[in-house]
Amino acid sequence: MRLFIGIELPENIIAELHSLQNLLRKKVRRGRFPSKDNLHLTLQFLGETSERKVEDIIRSLQTVSKLNFPFKLSFNTHLGSFGHKNPVRIVWVGVKGKVAALLQLQTSIVGSMQELGFPAESRDYHPHITLARDVDFIDKDFLLDQERGEFDMGQLSCFKIDNFCLISSNVEQGKRIYNIVETFKLIETDAECKDY
């Protein structure tokens, strides 16, 4: 099984991100845009995994979920990219809000997976949602202008993170399909916390 751990996004947030993808489509000659069903926030990629290990992974992630609390995030109002040449390898939108809580959750997950033999990535974790890949912009300065605030994406909503998922990734009839294997609810505090 090809597995990763990630955060599934609320439907209204997916709709906003899909609208953002449609804005991007008007600015490019070509690019590959993930299906809106596949938009998610990755926490750790596990890769090809023996089915025998899945129960251990689930038990370990259940422990992690009991040590982390819900929190709120929203998206930055500018785009970022990996690979600045045209075509751009990946165009993404980053997160803001309670990022420290997100990083704590991700660090807990990576630590628990290391105990099961899954190595941590050598590069720092950079939370983002991939909007497009291999993007050939009509205006090669578009991203630079956008990062300077010259392209208004509008305000994206704030949303609450109260769970994360173990997700399988398969190719079916030439399309990448994600399926949730297990969902892990973050522990709620007794007192209602408006900020998370």
Side-chain angles (χ1 to χ4, degrees), residues 41-146:
L41 185 59
T42 300
L43 296 170
Q44 186 178 6
F45 179 70
L46 301 179
E48 286 298 331
T49 306
S50 164
E51 289 194 29
R52 294 192 312 272
K53 266 195 155 175
V54 172
E55 282 189 29
D56 291 337
I57 292 169
I58 289 172
R59 272 195 297 272
S60 187
L61 294 177
Q62 284 169 339
T63 299
V64 168
S65 71
K66 294 171 186 169
L67 300 172
N68 287 271
F69 301 98
F71 54 93
K72 288 186 179 176
L73 293 176
S74 61
F75 292 106
N76 291 327
T77 54
H78 65 270
L79 300 173
S81 64
F82 299 133
H84 283 284
K85 293 181 179 177
N86 209 22
V88 177
R89 188 167 60 87
I90 291 177
V91 177
W92 50 264
V93 60
V95 298
K96 61 182 180 177
K98 301 293 182 179
V99 177
L102 172 64
L103 295 178
Q104 178 180 314
L105 173 61
Q106 193 268 345
T107 299
S108 299
I109 287 169
V110 170
S112 73
M113 292 300 100
Q114 279 182 297
E115 291 176 9
L116 297 178
F118 295 97
E121 289 217 26
S122 55
R123 58 191 174 198
D124 290 339
Y125 178 63
H126 184 88
H128 66 278
I129 308 288
T130 297
L131 296 176
R133 292 182 173 86
D134 304 321
V135 181
D136 181 11
F137 283 100
I138 296 165
D139 175 1
K140 62 183 175 61
D141 292 327
F142 169 77
L143 274 179
L144 184 61
D145 291 344
Q146 200 280 318

